[in-house]
Amino acid sequence: MTQAASHIHDRLLIIDFGSQVTQLIARRLRELSVYCEIHPFNRVDEAFLKAFAPKAVIFSGGPASVYAEGAPMPPAGVFEMGVPILGICYGQQVMMHCLGGKVEGGHGTAEFGRAFVTPTAQKLSILDGWFTEGDEQVWMSHGDHVSKIAPGFEVYGTSPNAPFAITADVSRNFYAVQFHPEVHHTPKGTKLYENFVRLAGFTGDWTMASYREDAIAKIREQVGDKQVICGLSGGVDSSVAAILIHEAIGDQLTCVFVDHGLLRKNEAAEVVKMFRDNYKIKLIHADESDLFLGALEGVSDPEVKRKTIGRLFIDVFQKYANQIEGAEFLAQGTLYPDVIESVSFSGGPSVTIKSHHNVGGLPEKMGLKLVEPLRELFKDEVRALGRELGLPQSFIGRHPFPGPGLAIRCPGEITREKLAILREADAVYIDQIRKHGLYDEIWQAFAAILPMKTVGVMGDGRTYDYAVAIRAVTSVDGMTADTYPFTNEFLGETMTRIINEVKGVNRVFYDLTSKPPGTIELE
Ligand code: XMP
């Protein structure tokens, strides 16, 4: 059974029936400063409900039909808890099914996409702020529909294909809608959630200041007087985790920053300076560039590169960690999206956990217990926590940088010469982006050095030098990406600067590829 974490905040439970957009419900609620957790329907039972003690419950949507064999059902006892419940799409259907209503499939009443809901005569508190200018746009995505509402329920909104678009049993505080308020195509969706949580008595106590305090207390309780080691990559997640843990246990934390020789210009020095000077954190700067670059000599296959780097990373981290006497814990910057259990209808819930490139497999190998103070946070909440902890915006807003570093921005064989050229070209390119005020509009931008030399002419002479590619993308989560549309002036100026300022480059390509079909990195 899923563990319910202990918390001092008011808590809302989202029971997941497998919708693609369940995470968005959590996002909307967190934006309203409401603490919530998503748990799959088949990992929640009466004992769990009791331990979790939610102040309200939301049933998510889902792809199943309530009348299908083995259809997902809410846990026993949930309707008797006396807390407000909101059912969304399948959540509405399952609520009606359980409480004595009726659900039917197909017959031309499936609805996918925009629809307009018309209010009925009666007012409903969760609809405060709705229908101010007539019908409201909502997003529908359902095959089945409710054909008879359960006893005690009334209708508060209808759409052409969903006569029971909005229903409620106000006396029991049960609310059920056929559409998805969590998606942007339901413009007043957030308002509905806001009304619902207010009605349930949430005060918006989920703030980063309270989270910080709570997390510090928990880390102290978990770690006691033992030692913790933390692999720092210089990225936002591991940095925020380290600073938070340091605030909790001070010198019981030692960070290990493995420099694999594949970092950007000045990166190692900046990371070390920030942690040592500003935070006085015990930090081992493991300069192992000779080891990594030696092992990568002659390697041009992308997968072999990644595996080599991953393997050495673990060896090196372990070597340094072994020097820290009494280390019992390993800190990781795991985030909430990495630990949400997703509903799988074929084989029960499946856990998707990102395998961190830098410490994967280490905890078991070294017999270490994990400290993961960010495992309840979304990425933007980690940034907010970083701000709360005083990290500069320039650091918090940094573009993602991959674990294997410049190795995967140097297709073909990696040489020290190519890395040196790449560092300079990347620094000029990023400087250009910052100077033009574009850095925060772009999700990720970097230069890559291509595995070829081309002919050029500079002054009166012929040149034969490397070609560099510049890449910039917009994205939400890195899963898909669009090319950032630079102006011709920007591109021309950038090309001139790179060729003038970086020795060894005589040609600049602009990578136009979106993802898919490309990936963000070149390898
Ligand atoms: P791709 O190239 O797969 O990258 O489109 C998607 C996002 O993931 C980053 N990336 C990595 N991050 N270790 C990491 O920590 C890796 O091995 C790795 N490979 C890709 C990439 O920079 C982009 O943000």
Side-chain angles (χ1 to χ4, degrees):
M1 198 53 49
T2 315
Q3 284 291 307
S6 68
H7 266 277
I8 57 169
H9 320 280
D10 288 337
R11 297 137 63 77
L12 186 147
L13 173 65
I14 300 170
I15 299 183
D16 184 17
F17 291 104
S19 160
Q20 300 283 320
V21 289
T22 303
Q23 273 206 36
L24 286 181
I25 305 176
R27 292 299 311 119
R28 297 285 94 82
L29 294 169
R30 296 274 184 105
E31 281 158 20
L32 294 166
S33 303
V34 167
Y35 183 78
C36 59
E37 287 183 19
I38 300 172
H39 292 273
F41 72 93
N42 49 356
R43 307 275 284 193
V44 170
D45 61 10
E46 230 172 326
F48 177 93
L49 289 178
K50 212 163 165 227
F52 192 95
K55 217 176 165 86
V57 176
I58 292 181
F59 294 170
S60 85
S65 279
V66 293
Y67 49 77
E69 209 185 307
M73 287 294 143
V78 70
F79 295 109
E80 287 77 45
M81 292 182 80
V83 301
I85 303 179
L86 171 63
I88 313 271
C89 195
Y90 180 82
Q92 178 193 42
Q93 296 164 8
V94 84
M95 195 189 275
M96 292 304 150
H97 180 79
C98 291
L99 297 175
K102 206 165 170 218
V103 177
E104 281 177 32
H107 309 305
T109 54
E111 244 182 328
F112 296 95
R114 258 186 209 89
F116 285 86
V117 175
T118 309
T120 55
Q122 311 177 77
K123 293 257 172 292
L124 185 67
S125 57
I126 66 161
L127 299 176
D128 277 356
W130 276 53
F131 307 118
T132 49
E133 286 157 47
D135 294 354
E136 286 294 348
Q137 182 187 309
V138 298
W139 188 256
M140 294 281 190
S141 179
H142 61 104
D144 293 355
H145 68 282
V146 173
S147 58
K148 183 175 145 248
I149 49 176
F153 278 78
E154 299 208 38
V155 185
Y156 295 87
T158 65
S159 80
N161 275 339
F164 303 116
I166 304 171
T167 55
D169 174 346
V170 178
S171 67
R172 286 189 286 177
N173 265 331
F174 294 164
Y175 303 86
V177 297
Q178 181 57 75
F179 54 88
H180 288 269
E182 60 277 14
V183 305
H184 284 295
H185 307 289
T186 303
K188 294 237 176 107
T190 300
K191 187 75 195 145
L192 189 149
Y193 283 120
E194 190 185 341
N195 294 333
F196 176 70
V197 297
R198 196 159 291 157
L199 165 153
F202 284 87
T203 53
D205 60 0
W206 170 247
T207 62
M208 276 310 135
S210 71
Y211 182 81
R212 175 188 187 172
E213 248 175 67
D214 193 19
I216 287 173
K218 277 208 230 157
I219 295 165
R220 286 189 183 136
E221 190 188 319
Q222 183 189 5
V223 170
D225 59 0
K226 303 293 187 296
Q227 297 289 317
V228 179
I229 49 174
C230 175
L232 265 191
S233 67
V236 177
D237 304 343
S238 64
S239 301
V240 170
I243 291 165
L244 185 67
I245 294 169
H246 182 253
E247 207 168 287
I249 58 166
D251 275 355
Q252 286 164 254
L253 170 74
T254 307
C255 291
V256 181
F257 173 56
V258 177
D259 180 350
H260 48 23
L262 298 159
L263 297 167
R264 289 164 292 189
K265 189 176 176 182
N266 298 333
E267 191 164 14
E270 280 168 17
V271 170
V272 170
K273 188 170 163 40
M274 187 175 89
F275 283 92
R276 284 213 182 120
D277 293 1
N278 295 351
Y279 289 96
K280 311 272 182 266
I281 290 181
K282 272 202 281 184
L283 174 67
I284 298 173
H285 176 191
D287 181 357
E288 294 284 353
S289 43
D290 287 344
L291 174 76
F292 281 83
L293 298 182
L296 289 169
E297 231 173 81
V299 176
S300 51
D301 181 90
E303 275 312 296
V304 179
K305 277 185 193 174
R306 278 174 181 276
K307 290 212 170 88
T308 307
I309 295 167
R311 177 175 49 79
L312 288 178
F313 216 104
I314 290 186
D315 290 350
V316 168
F317 190 84
Q318 195 165 5
K319 179 177 95 182
Y320 286 91
N322 281 339
Q323 297 168 7
I324 300 160
E325 226 164 274
E328 281 194 18
F329 292 91
L330 177 74
Q332 281 196 167
T334 314
L335 305 190
Y336 193 46
D338 307 328
V339 297
I340 294 176
E341 292 177 280
S342 59
V343 175
S344 143
F345 288 96
S346 46
S350 59
V351 185
T352 39
I353 298 190
K354 184 164 66 181
S355 47
H356 285 245
H357 76 276
N358 47 356
V359 286
L362 259 185
E364 303 84 50
K365 218 169 157 185
M366 297 178 67
L368 294 170
K369 286 170 268 183
L370 283 176
V371 184
E372 297 178 306
L374 312 181
R375 51 181 291 132
E376 287 152 16
L377 303 185
F378 286 97
K379 185 87 185 177
D380 51 337
E381 292 176 318
V382 173
R383 294 206 169 100
L385 179 61
R387 264 177 236 119
E388 178 72 32
L389 290 164
L391 272 159
Q393 179 57 31
S394 59
F395 186 84
I396 289 168
R398 279 171 69 171
H399 293 172
F401 185 65
L406 299 183
I408 57 177
R409 295 178 179 175
C410 184
E413 207 175 317
I414 299 165
T415 64
R416 285 176 192 266
E417 184 203 16
K418 279 159 94 179
L419 288 176
I421 293 172
L422 173 54
R423 276 193 190 100
E424 292 303 321
D426 187 69
V428 172
Y429 176 45
I430 298 297
D431 182 59
Q432 264 290 98
I433 289 175
R434 284 200 189 277
K435 279 202 170 122
H436 283 256
L438 302 174
Y439 191 83
D440 293 338
E441 275 178 41
I442 294 169
W443 199 74
Q444 198 169 9
F446 57 87
I449 185 162
L450 300 179
M452 63 181 188
K453 286 190 167 182
T454 69
V455 172
V457 55
M458 279 168 97
D460 292 330
R462 174 187 184 275
T463 58
Y464 187 56
D465 278 329
Y466 282 107
V468 157
I470 54 174
R471 182 144 177 73
V473 294
T474 55
S475 177
V476 176
D477 51 13
M479 304 298 285
T480 59
D482 289 312
T483 310
Y484 184 81
F486 286 124
T487 61
N488 282 343
E489 290 71 31
F490 176 89
L491 290 170
E493 203 181 297
T494 306
M495 177 274 293
T496 307
R497 274 196 66 189
I498 291 178
I499 289 174
N500 285 347
E501 294 174 37
V502 184
K503 200 163 169 300
V505 178
N506 68 353
R507 199 172 286 264
V508 176
F509 288 95
Y510 177 36
D511 188 343
L512 291 173
T513 324
S514 58
K515 173 183 181 176
T519 51
I520 294 177
E521 301 292 343
L522 267 67
E523 287 188 337

